Amino acid sequence: MKIFSKSGFIILFYSLSLHSIAIISKAQHPPYPQSVNNSGLKDYYQNYFPVGVAVSLKNLKGDESNLIIQQFNSITPENVMKMGALHPKENLYYWKDADSIVAFARRNGLKVRGHNLCWHQQTPNWMFKDSAGKQVTKEVLLKRLKEHISAVVTRYKGKIYAWDVVNEAVSDKGDEYLRNSLWYQICGEDYIAKAFEYAHEADQSAILFYNDYGEINPSKRKKIIRLINQLKAANVSVQGIGLQCHWKIDSPVKEQLDSTLKEFSALLLPIQITELDMSVYPKQKANNTDSINASTDTLYTFVREKQQTELYKLSFELFRKYKNNITGVTFWNLSDRHSWLDDFKGRKRKDYPLLFDRNLQPKKAYETIIHW
Ligand code: GLA
């Protein structure tokens, strides 16, 4: 019996191929490499630096909590230690969530980085206003800053080994040195040195960091270095430089990252990579909105995955090269299941910036940073 005519066979073959193309494009990726033993990043990097992750309370349960314990030896509370979260009203501190994260770390033998003590965002409005709603004086603001920092740092003394004391004080604008925040408008640049002084008074053994982003941009980098040098010259107890490292798959390139790490190393202070992630959207597309209607599964293409894998590989090669200066590397969020970059700035766009996929499986990038 003749089952297919020649043209019928061609039609069948054609529709089968379409079907498999559909299956492939739906699946997008071959299976990711599985972890072969119970080792995690903390073990592969034990002779280099602690490897950390920024967490929310939600991450500390179930499969995510297992992954944290398997892979990392340090955590940073993503949001719950920010001023607005911890100190919503002048006479009210809310400790519960931060305490839970610190308790989780202690139960599981993880270090904790405190984040952060003074920032221009996520700061409660009351901080800058008096009871009549008028802006407070420099004297009042510094007194409030001191009270806040003393209370927080004292509470976690001996439990938090490093603090991001001042976050993002440097301006992104070419011709402006320090950011024109309310802190700056009210106190001038003194608030920066004061924040370090208050933190040091409260805990002499915590390592105190200045933390900022844009480190790979030469003009911003120059300003961050200028600030650190200025603080050192004034004997301020700045003891480490936090480089956030929120990157894109096409940025930084090798020379740029190498010179970034070289220039910061020359300051002779410990460096920590504090908020590492790699958005799969290229730099020039950072503000592009044309993917708004794309389905989540079509955005993370092979090409993007490959580029991201290469950048992770390169970054860790350079982190290892500067191991004498780098004392910690922290990822900003755990997995592509959810990160702060999803729908960032209102763009309805899923991102895939981390080393673990939405099923918490290690991605190819993971393999390239554990085998060298
Ligand atoms: C900055 C802050 C972090 C966090 C990220 C976005 O980098 O330092 O605390 O808010 O932005 O999640």
Side-chain angles (χ1 to χ4, degrees):
M1 190 177 68
K2 193 173 168 210
I3 300 179
F4 297 117
S5 67
K6 193 171 169 203
S7 57
F9 184 77
I10 291 171
I11 289 168
L12 178 71
F13 180 75
Y14 181 67
S15 58
L16 276 177
S17 339
L18 278 186
H19 184 64
S20 37
I21 288 170
I23 291 174
I24 290 170
S25 66
K26 222 174 175 185
Q28 284 285 313
H29 297 284
Y32 293 124
Q34 301 292 311
S35 189
V36 280
N37 54 36
N38 218 26
S39 297
L41 295 167
K42 61 180 176 8
D43 308 301
Y44 297 109
Y45 281 90
Q46 62 182 336
N47 296 326
Y48 289 82
F49 32 70
V51 187
V53 59
V55 297
S56 65
L57 270 183
K58 279 210 308 234
N59 299 132
L60 307 187
K61 290 183 255 165
D63 54 354
E64 295 191 322
S65 123
N66 295 339
L67 184 66
I68 293 169
I69 296 163
Q70 185 205 7
Q71 295 289 335
F72 300 98
N73 49 6
S74 171
I75 54 176
T76 303
E78 179 184 2
N79 284 305
V80 299
M81 282 189 186
K82 290 172 180 170
M83 197 183 269
L86 271 188
H87 201 170
K89 293 186 185 160
E90 185 164 11
N91 297 315
L92 177 75
Y93 283 90
Y94 177 75
W95 301 112
K96 194 165 162 273
D97 296 350
D99 283 357
S100 305
I101 292 186
V102 172
F104 173 88
R106 288 174 77 75
R107 277 199 305 281
N108 294 291
L110 307 167
K111 290 167 164 290
V112 185
R113 291 193 89 257
H115 177 82
N116 58 58
L117 297 172
C118 180
W119 189 25
H120 65 285
Q121 281 183 14
Q122 292 175 254
T123 304
N125 288 336
W126 67 261
M127 183 60 72
F128 304 109
K129 299 265 157 71
D130 65 17
S131 51
K134 253 186 63 206
Q135 198 161 291
V136 292
T137 60
K138 174 174 178 179
E139 199 191 0
V140 171
L141 186 55
L142 289 179
K143 186 165 170 280
R144 289 179 176 179
L145 180 65
K146 180 171 186 177
E147 275 166 16
H148 174 80
I149 292 182
S150 309
V152 176
V153 175
T154 305
R155 183 172 187 93
Y156 298 114
K157 198 170 173 167
K159 298 180 179 168
I160 289 193
Y161 86 103
W163 273 105
D164 289 329
V165 177
V166 177
N167 199 32
E168 304 178 353
V170 164
S171 174
D172 291 319
K173 296 185 187 147
D175 52 355
E176 188 176 84
Y177 170 38
L178 295 173
R179 184 185 296 277
N180 191 22
S181 63
L182 274 175
W183 292 109
Y184 184 80
Q185 287 168 29
I186 300 172
C187 303
E189 57 187 79
D190 290 354
Y191 81 91
I192 303 172
K194 287 290 179 195
F196 280 96
E197 181 187 312
Y198 304 150
H200 190 61
E201 257 169 41
D203 185 354
Q204 264 104 69
S205 51
I207 310 167
L208 306 182
F209 282 78
Y210 174 73
N211 192 48
D212 214 327
Y213 67 92
E215 65 294 312
I216 54 177
N217 169 327
S219 97
K220 179 111 183 239
R221 189 190 314 152
K222 226 188 205 164
K223 291 189 251 181
I224 300 174
I225 291 175
R226 171 174 162 195
L227 175 61
I228 304 276
N229 278 330
Q230 195 182 315
L231 293 172
K232 279 183 17 177
N235 274 327
V236 173
S237 50
V238 56
Q239 296 155 344
I241 309 160
L243 307 179
Q244 293 187 4
C245 303
H246 292 293
W247 293 336
K248 315 264 185 282
I249 40 169
D250 58 347
S251 160
V253 294
K254 185 172 182 184
E255 299 66 38
Q256 188 185 9
L257 181 54
D258 201 359
S259 53
T260 300
L261 295 174
K262 191 167 169 197
E263 286 177 37
F264 282 114
S265 298
L267 293 173
L268 301 178
L269 284 179
I271 297 170
Q272 294 203 350
I273 309 300
T274 53
E275 305 187 17
L276 181 63
D277 50 27
M278 292 178 199
S279 169
V280 300
Y281 302 103
K283 191 161 185 269
Q284 69 276 18
K285 289 224 169 165
N287 294 316
N288 149 318
T289 48
D290 62 12
S291 49
I292 277 184
N293 294 317
S295 89
T296 53
D297 281 341
T298 55
L299 295 174
Y300 191 31
T301 59
F302 280 118
V303 177
R304 285 183 170 153
E305 186 190 26
K306 190 159 176 280
Q307 242 181 310
Q308 187 189 50
T309 303
E310 278 160 16
L311 184 54
Y312 264 120
K313 180 170 188 272
L314 166 71
S315 306
F316 276 78
E317 269 162 23
L318 289 172
F319 296 161
R320 293 192 297 272
K321 172 173 169 188
Y322 288 92
K323 75 167 190 174
N324 291 338
N325 307 84
I326 295 181
T327 63
V329 173
T330 295
F331 289 84
W332 205 250
N333 295 138
L334 180 62
S335 77
D336 292 348
R337 186 177 284 178
H338 175 68
S339 80
W340 71 288
L341 291 169
D342 288 341
D343 304 331
F344 182 51
K345 290 194 174 158
R347 290 190 295 268
K348 294 234 169 309
R349 193 169 77 171
K350 171 87 189 139
D351 212 329
Y352 305 82
L354 297 156
L355 286 183
F356 300 96
D357 71 8
R358 281 177 295 175
N359 298 316
L360 309 187
Q361 294 304 307
K363 292 161 54 175
K364 283 186 197 140
Y366 179 90
E367 292 297 308
T368 67
I369 73 165
I370 61 167
H371 295 133
W372 66 86

